[in-house]
Amino acid sequence: MSRRILVTAALPYANGHIHLGHLVEYAQTDIWVRFQKLRGHDCRFFCADDTHGTSIMIRARQEGRREEDVIADMREAHLRDFAGFDIEFDNYGSTHSESNRELCAEFWAALRRADMIVARDVERLFDPEVGTFLADRFVRGTCPKCGTEGQYGDGCEKCLSNYAPTDLLNPRSTLSGATPELRTSTQLFVRIEDLHEFLGTWTQTSGALQPEIANYLQGHFLGEPLRDWDVSRPARYFGFEIPDSPGNYWYVWFDAPIGYVASTRDWCDRTGESLDGWWKNPDCEIHHFIGKDITYFHTLFWPAMLKTAGYQLPTKVHIHGFLTVDGEKMSKSRGTFIRGSTYLQHLDPAYLRYYFASKLGPRVDDLDLNLEDFRNKINSDLVGKVVNIASRCARLLAGRSLSAAYPEDGGLFREGAAASERIAAAYENCDYNQAMREIMLLADRANQYIDAQQPWTLRKDPARADDVQNICSVALNLFRQIAVYLAPVLPRLARQTGELLSAPIEHWDAAQQPLSGTPVNEFQHLLKRIEIEKVNAMLADSQDDLAKKEAPTAAAGAAVVGAEAAGGSGQDSGEWLEKEPLVADLCTIDDFTKVDLRVARVVEANHVQGADKLLQLTLSLGGDVRRNVFAGIKAAYAPEQLVGRLVVVVANLAPRKMKFGVSEGMVCAAGSGGRDVFLLAPDSGAQPGQRVH
RNA sequence: GGCGGGGUAGCUCAGUCGGUUAGAGCACCGGCUUCAUAAGCCGGUUGUCGGGGGUUCAAGUCCCCCCCCCGCUACCA
């Protein structure tokens, strides 16, 4: 029976290019959709650019352009990248569309009717010079937790803590540089606690979520009252103004998931389909594919919105993990932060689609792109095994035809046909690695068959020409069977196989019946081996992309010292400046001297009972002056490494009461945190107590 | 610390309801083959299944304790 299936992948944000991390999801989703279509189901794949929010505003401002121009360019780039990877949408919309605006209004009205919108006065920062409330990203100041300067109002990029912009120390408007004032603004919230019981049941029993996700929600959110969701942002904000609340705009996370519906609606308008037949039809399955980072929105808020507005809830939310490259987070300085477009300049998209497929399972696990494994796997599985079957036999039959009747093959084709439902079940469950294993088994058998029959020997005897044709007919049919099973992953290979054997692959059941009598065309290379040089070139290019992008920043900043540190090569990564941009506000020498930096000697360093990240340090500032300081450096330093060494301490930092005692200063360090922490040290000769000027 | 997920061959992983001698691919070694994109075929090596205890006729699998890794989260001034 044919199923009606609506599929979405998360909307990529219009502020950045598609990279290999994104592609895990789009490949996973595209494979699933192609599989369903090949099975004959009425399956449609909808996506869109996510275009609203403060980041787009900031970017537009920096580039001196309108937001609309920024998102139009990025949309074009996204579509180009997707096409390059054979990601095929039925519609690709935009959250900045009339259809989305109308649907947002519809959802909003439903929430109003359900009395789920509450207004509350919130103290917010206001820029008196520009005359506007400041969105989180327009306020910068010192992180109240770790003291890092130049942090945005929503959270600290260094210590990753979240807070309200009103918590920032020394806040400054990035619009005018003015010190913001605290003013009251009326803010709108969605009260989803009303749906707590419903969400509890849905997340735990509907089967829509992977078990580990259901547990996560139960443990993190559902055990206590659900917090109201702040969905309005005061002007100026790039988004849609809330119809019944002038001056307020919907927060980007409100309109983004509605973009799934809007994209569907655009498609319906174009094709004459009924939107309700997809989104309000209990017989239509709805599948969302997302990454684990946006679990919260898709498993609590979004179902609450759908439920309230009378839409169908997702049948499944398929959640995947992150991509790592060679076991590490993608890193710009190592060249492993790879854009889709950079990859495509060097390598075939089929490689990546197959590699991801061979590693993806139904769980939330992270996926590692090990570049050596990548090359081995593609070269041995796809080139050595699969494509090789065609390559060894097609030439012997080029210009002729497959045997008029399918020859005796010892049951090989039948066995392959019998694997159909096993492989299909694996695809259906997103267990692609299982499917790939099954398929490679078939490829092994085909190669064994060819090897045993030795058509190249028989060919020397003209009397055995029919035998050669029969053997090659079997092998090419086995090859075609494999190409059918791989078609969701490798659509180009399926198409090429159709051309080679003069019979397009249009349905999964093509693997059930062997072809006979069709012309065999001249064999063309189907897939090249991966050369290591290509991979290396891609990595080098990825670093270059970054260097070009960072060049203006480096020129404007003080990059001289860094060049020395790099051993004179002069080429340091701009990664860190990108993560934590230079503070725009200038400070005077007087500002600087407010901070009393001193050289100190670590006289004692201890683990703190019950603390995972803290070490307790006793610092000597010379004489009898001692300071007790807690520092979050446990992952990077052992206490015994520290005793005796010199550090730089902020000596006049206000004491802070912590869970384990009072901290009377802060030791200076660089790095992103965790193991990546590098304490500052003076050159030898410095003495405890000396001030750092 | 709390919660979640893991720990199986050098690497990436599979192991269903507990059931024979714990598997696959890659890598490695030996042989065969030379039609094929230095591809293919046959054979071989590799494991205290994180550690310890328990239940059982039988434990990689179930239960308890501990160790380690990852993620989220909490004090990282």
Side-chain angles (χ1 to χ4, degrees):
Chain A
M1 198 187 80
S2 174
R3 292 149 63 192
R4 172 167 282 204
I5 309 171
L6 187 155
V7 181
T8 71
L11 312 187
Y13 199 45
N15 193 28
H17 286 281
I18 300 300
H19 55 70
L20 296 193
H22 288 109
L23 285 162
V24 172
E25 175 168 316
Y26 298 106
Q28 182 186 41
T29 315
D30 186 71
I31 289 168
W32 202 78
V33 168
R34 285 179 185 271
F35 165 71
Q36 300 297 356
K37 287 180 174 173
L38 198 61
R39 296 277 279 176
H41 298 306
D42 189 9
C43 179
R44 304 292 163 174
F45 184 10
F46 300 113
C47 197
D49 259 13
D50 180 16
T51 58
H52 290 154
T54 312
S55 303
I56 301 291
M57 273 174 77
I58 292 177
R59 188 194 183 101
R61 171 181 288 271
Q62 280 169 349
E63 296 176 2
R65 302 198 290 165
R66 294 160 57 231
E67 283 89 350
E68 284 80 357
D69 296 330
V70 171
I71 65 176
D73 281 0
M74 196 52 85
R75 173 188 174 82
E76 220 172 285
H78 285 177
L79 285 171
R80 210 167 33 236
D81 291 343
F82 287 135
F85 281 95
D86 294 323
I87 314 286
E88 212 169 75
F89 303 107
D90 286 278
N91 192 71
Y92 195 83
S94 164
T95 59
H96 195 61
S97 66
E98 271 316 298
S99 53
N100 200 40
R101 183 197 296 273
E102 287 167 20
L103 282 160
C104 286
E106 181 191 328
F107 274 80
W108 185 252
L111 291 167
R112 282 279 194 202
R113 273 198 302 280
D115 197 24
M116 286 167 66
I117 307 296
V118 292
R120 265 208 303 276
D121 287 344
V122 177
E123 302 259 273
R124 293 182 60 100
L125 296 177
F126 183 84
D127 185 325
E129 285 185 25
V130 182
T132 178
F133 282 100
L134 294 165
D136 295 355
R137 302 282 286 180
F138 279 167
V139 188
R140 285 243 180 130
T142 304
C143 170
K145 291 244 170 83
C146 71
T148 304
E149 293 179 358
Q151 295 306 302
Y152 287 118
D154 52 351
C156 175
E157 290 169 303
K158 184 186 173 206
C159 70
L160 301 177
S161 57
N162 291 304
Y163 42 76
T166 47
D167 296 335
L168 278 179
L169 309 176
N170 302 317
R172 285 279 192 285
S173 164
T174 60
L175 299 181
S176 64
T179 301
E181 298 169 2
L182 209 53
R183 289 203 191 173
T184 301
S185 120
T186 301
Q187 204 83 12
L188 298 168
F189 293 80
V190 177
R191 191 172 56 207
I192 66 163
E193 176 61 12
D194 292 359
L195 290 172
H196 194 140
E197 194 183 333
F198 160 74
L199 290 170
T201 308
W202 183 76
T203 57
Q204 303 304 306
T205 65
S206 68
L209 305 179
Q210 290 129 302
E212 61 266 45
I213 297 295
N215 291 339
Y216 163 75
L217 295 172
Q218 186 65 48
H220 274 269
F221 302 107
L222 293 164
E224 52 194 57
L226 296 168
R227 273 176 293 176
D228 294 346
W229 183 31
D230 184 355
V231 291
S232 71
R233 294 291 181 273
R236 183 179 168 254
Y237 189 77
F238 181 57
F240 294 138
E241 192 166 24
I242 302 176
D244 55 17
S245 181
N248 276 319
Y249 290 72
W250 282 306
Y251 176 46
V252 56
W253 262 109
F254 180 83
D255 69 51
I258 295 174
Y260 295 144
V261 185
S263 183
T264 313
R265 186 160 134 185
D266 293 344
W267 174 78
C268 288
D269 289 348
R270 205 174 66 228
T271 58
E273 286 272 343
S274 141
L275 184 67
D276 288 359
W278 291 83
W279 278 97
K280 294 188 176 176
N281 174 4
D283 294 327
C284 175
E285 298 175 33
I286 298 173
H287 293 258
H288 294 306
F289 286 79
I290 62 165
K292 62 185 182 181
D293 50 327
I294 53 178
T295 297
Y296 184 55
F297 292 103
H298 282 83
T299 57
L300 295 174
F301 292 126
W302 180 231
M305 287 164 68
L306 288 169
K307 164 91 173 154
T308 307
Y311 284 72
Q312 287 292 306
L313 285 130
T315 312
K316 282 214 90 164
V317 182
H318 305 265
I319 303 180
H320 62 81
F322 295 146
L323 179 72
T324 55
V325 178
D326 284 340
E328 310 259 1
K329 279 186 186 166
M330 293 195 295
S331 148
K332 293 189 176 174
S333 56
R334 271 188 291 266
T336 55
F337 193 98
I338 304 164
R339 283 190 191 174
S341 54
T342 309
Y343 173 99
L344 289 172
Q345 282 164 19
H346 301 277
L347 297 165
D348 190 318
Y351 305 154
L352 197 69
R353 292 178 65 103
Y354 178 77
Y355 187 75
F356 284 164
S358 78
K359 302 200 81 167
L360 274 167
R363 287 193 307 197
V364 192
D365 303 335
D366 288 350
L367 188 160
D368 186 42
L369 169 59
N370 177 300
L371 291 168
E372 194 191 336
D373 187 42
F374 172 66
R375 205 161 48 85
N376 282 333
K377 198 165 206 81
I378 299 308
N379 289 348
S380 75
D381 285 5
L382 290 187
V383 181
K385 285 182 186 172
V386 175
V387 164
N388 193 226
I389 300 166
S391 180
R392 350 176 40 174
C393 293
R395 273 175 244 266
L396 300 181
L397 230 51
R400 300 172 60 197
S401 306
L402 296 173
S403 301
Y406 184 69
E408 172 57 37
D409 67 357
L412 279 177
F413 192 90
R414 202 175 55 244
E415 279 174 38
S420 165
E421 289 311 305
R422 267 204 313 281
I423 296 169
Y427 274 119
E428 177 70 37
N429 297 326
C430 290
D431 205 351
Y432 302 163
N433 72 77
Q434 172 80 20
M436 295 309 109
R437 267 200 301 277
E438 295 267 3
I439 296 168
M440 285 312 126
L441 215 59
L442 301 180
D444 284 338
R445 288 198 197 128
N447 274 309
Q448 286 160 17
Y449 171 83
I450 297 167
D451 215 66
Q453 300 299 319
Q454 305 199 15
W456 56 90
T457 307
L458 302 182
R459 193 177 54 153
K460 292 170 187 159
D461 181 355
R464 307 288 302 269
D466 286 354
D467 289 337
V468 172
Q469 186 189 25
N470 284 341
I471 291 162
C472 292
S473 295
V474 168
L476 288 171
N477 264 296
L478 296 175
F479 171 70
R480 179 168 183 267
Q481 193 171 50
I482 289 163
V484 172
Y485 292 147
L486 284 174
V489 181
L490 305 175
R492 290 185 201 184
L493 182 72
R495 190 172 43 74
Q496 290 168 312
T497 303
E499 285 163 9
L500 177 68
L501 302 179
S502 315
I505 292 171
E506 284 161 344
H507 198 282
W508 184 259
D509 289 344
Q512 295 299 306
Q513 280 299 322
L515 286 179
S516 46
T518 63
V520 176
N521 294 302
E522 193 171 334
F523 180 77
Q524 322 250 346
H525 254 34
L526 299 171
L527 213 55
K528 280 203 289 266
R529 304 175 63 76
I530 301 182
E531 291 153 17
I532 194 157
E533 293 76 21
K534 295 281 175 76
V535 175
N536 290 337
M538 174 181 75
L539 295 176
D541 258 19
S542 295
Q543 277 170 323
D544 283 355
D545 286 351
L546 175 80
K548 278 181 217 130
K549 197 170 158 214
E550 291 301 319
T553 316
V560 184
V561 177
E564 290 288 325
S569 78
Q571 193 52 67
D572 291 317
S573 160
E575 182 179 359
W576 298 103
L577 278 184
E578 180 151 310
K579 282 187 182 167
E580 188 171 338
L582 293 172
V583 175
D585 296 336
L586 298 178
C587 80
T588 65
I589 187 78
D590 296 332
D591 291 332
F592 176 70
T593 53
K594 282 181 194 163
V595 180
D596 189 10
L597 296 173
R598 297 286 173 159
V599 174
R601 185 181 304 284
V602 180
V603 293
E604 206 181 308
N606 296 303
H607 287 294
V608 181
Q609 185 79 28
D612 279 359
K613 300 189 181 175
L614 290 176
L615 291 181
Q616 179 271 322
L617 307 178
T618 303
L619 304 179
S620 166
L621 295 187
D624 295 331
V625 181
R626 294 280 188 277
R627 287 291 173 81
N628 181 59
V629 169
F630 290 99
I633 57 173
K634 178 174 170 175
Y637 291 92
E640 54 274 18
Q641 284 177 271
L642 294 171
V643 175
R645 66 165 285 177
L646 297 179
V647 296
V648 174
V649 63
V650 183
N652 62 338
L653 194 65
R656 172 83 170 190
K657 188 171 183 304
M658 298 178 66
K659 186 173 170 184
F660 307 100
V662 176
S663 186
E664 304 164 321
M666 180 169 92
V667 294
C668 296
S672 60
R675 268 165 297 191
D676 193 18
V677 169
F678 309 97
L679 284 174
L680 259 57
D683 277 348
S684 59
Q687 296 291 323
Q690 284 179 339
R691 183 157 186 189
V692 178
H693 297 284

